[in-house]
Amino acid sequence: EEIKRLEDVMNIIKKDDAVKKEFQTLVSERMLYNITDQANFSFKPNAMTKYLDENRKNLEIVFKDNPKYIKDLDEFNERRFTQTTRKI
């Protein structure tokens, strides 16, 4: 039901490009808040992987017009994860 509601919202706001972009910005900011330590803006270990896993469907709906954004997030997360594990 939440997925359907988000799809309905996106179908409405996609008609106004400025509103759609603002909503996408808010979603991106929320993700950044959830995956970083607010004290020093460093990445929380495994937070991005967890966030992407838990919110993938929602992100795909919100960024349906820009699938490259999701691909870029995945690639960034993979590189960050690889770099983190190499340091250990």
Side-chain angles (χ1 to χ4, degrees), residues 9-34:
V9 167
M10 290 308 296
N11 282 331
I12 294 167
I13 67 173
K14 74 179 182 184
K15 296 171 185 168
D16 184 329
D17 200 52
V19 172
K20 180 188 71 174
K21 287 187 185 319
E22 180 65 25
F23 185 72
Q24 289 173 330
T25 298
L26 291 172
V27 169
S28 296
E29 289 172 350
R30 180 177 174 205
M31 178 181 62
L32 184 62
Y33 180 83
N34 280 283

Side-chain angles (χ1 to χ4, degrees), residues 1-2 19 24-25 27 33 35 38-40 42 50 52 57 59 64 67 74 76 78 80 84 88:
E1 176 149 325
E2 282 185 32
V19 172
Q24 289 173 330
T25 298
V27 169
Y33 180 83
I35 66 173
Q38 298 305 300
N40 59 15
S42 64
K50 181 179 179 191
L52 291 174
K57 185 63 179 164
L59 290 168
K64 184 176 184 178
D74 287 333
F76 177 80
E78 182 60 35
R80 188 198 51 76
T84 303
I88 296 173

Side-chain angles (χ1 to χ4, degrees), residues 62-75:
V62 172
F63 294 98
K64 184 176 184 178
D65 66 326
N66 186 7
K68 186 175 181 330
Y69 182 76
I70 306 294
K71 184 177 182 232
D72 289 347
L73 288 174
D74 287 333
E75 288 177 6

Side-chain angles (χ1 to χ4, degrees), residues 36-49:
T36 57
D37 180 341
Q38 298 305 300
N40 59 15
F41 292 105
S42 64
F43 285 104
K44 296 178 193 173
N46 302 315
M48 187 167 188
T49 300

